[in-house]
């Protein structure tokens, strides 16, 4: 079994990479420049929401959000504060964008946790 700190760091890094992937896919689907700075600019508000979600989860639960149940708050914070920060920085949001971002980030941030839990249960049974 992986050391808890190593698991937490790995989960956080994977979450960050998936939020960046979300931004890159979004920029690509809208034929926007794929430059790293552009992707990071798009991902920035959502990365801030992700970090806030992790901090709150660690403070409230006193454990890393590595399971699906414990990561729902991280997903919610990523979407909610990502959207709020987009508005505050003058970037628009549309209802369709909120829906797509919510679904894609749920699949990304909760999906890998579900798959890892499923595989772990299979291996131990």
């Amino acid at each position: 079994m992986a050391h808890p700190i190593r698991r937490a760091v790995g989960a956080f890094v994977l979450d960050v990479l998936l939020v960046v992937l979300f931004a890159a896919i979004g920029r690509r689907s809208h034929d926007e420049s794929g430059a790293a700075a552009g992707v990071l600019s798009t991902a920035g508000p959502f990365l801030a929401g992700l970090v806030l979600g992790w901090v709150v989860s660690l403070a409230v639960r006193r454990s890393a959000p590595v399971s699906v149940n414990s990561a729902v708050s991280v997903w919610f914070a990523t979407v909610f504060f990502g959207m709020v920060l987009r508005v505050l920085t003058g970037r628009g949001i549309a209802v369709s964008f909120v829906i797509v971002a919510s679904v894609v980030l749920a699949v990304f941030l909760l999906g890998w946790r579900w798959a890892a839990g499923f595989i772990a249960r299979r291996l131990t049974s």
Side-chain angles (χ1 to χ4, degrees), residues 70 80 98 108:
S70 64
F80 181 79
V98 174
F108 280 8

Side-chain angles (χ1 to χ4, degrees), residues 43-90:
F46 298 100
L47 290 171
L50 176 79
V51 169
L52 182 59
W54 265 81
V55 168
V56 169
S57 183
L58 287 167
V60 171
R61 292 180 178 268
R62 304 230 190 274
S63 65
V66 294
S67 71
V68 173
N69 290 340
S70 64
V72 169
S73 59
V74 170
W75 162 74
F76 180 80
T78 303
V79 174
F80 181 79
F81 291 107
M83 294 301 171
V84 168
L85 289 171
R86 282 183 59 87
V87 169
L88 292 175
T89 57

